[in-house]
Amino acid sequence: QHPLAEASVRLEAVRLMAWRAAVAFDGGAPPKEVSLHGNAAKLLAAELAAKALDAAFKTLGGKGFDERCGVVHLLEFVALLQVAPISEALILNQVAESALGLPRSY
């Protein structure tokens, strides 16, 4: 029950960040602001996918690796979400520089 509740809360955070990106885009905000919100949504979504997949494997145990179950096929997809088209590290660099005003770290 708790993993489902946590996923629900995190999914709402993803929706809110995606909504902020859409509102910024529709409002003619500068591309940096739009991408900041969009990339934040992407980061949260990729983390949510990884946590949800982990919860599925923990719930199913060894059955999660049975190809007929369908969960094991999501491993590649979730890994791809975490690195493409922009990686978590690049998103965090953007947040540090744009939102927090920190110096470039790479």
Side-chain angles (χ1 to χ4, degrees):
Q1 181 173 9
H2 286 186
L4 290 175
E6 183 178 355
S8 176
V9 170
R10 291 178 185 274
L11 182 57
E12 186 61 23
V14 170
R15 285 184 180 134
L16 287 171
M17 288 309 300
W19 179 81
R20 286 184 74 181
V23 167
F25 180 81
D26 288 345
K32 272 190 171 184
E33 181 182 339
V34 176
S35 70
L36 190 64
H37 297 313
N39 283 334
K42 188 258 186 222
L43 176 89
L44 293 173
E47 287 177 352
L48 173 58
K51 286 184 77 69
L53 185 60
D54 183 61
F57 274 115
K58 287 178 179 173
T59 300
L60 295 169
K63 182 76 172 162
F65 290 94
D66 183 345
E67 290 187 5
R68 294 171 294 177
C69 189
V71 176
V72 73
H73 299 292
L74 297 174
L75 283 170
E76 282 182 356
F77 178 69
V78 169
L80 182 62
L81 285 177
Q82 293 175 322
V83 297
I86 183 170
S87 71
E88 178 180 312
L90 288 176
I91 293 171
L92 293 175
N93 284 337
Q94 180 192 27
V95 170
E97 292 173 31
S98 298
L100 303 177
L102 297 173
R104 187 174 175 172
S105 63
Y106 54 95

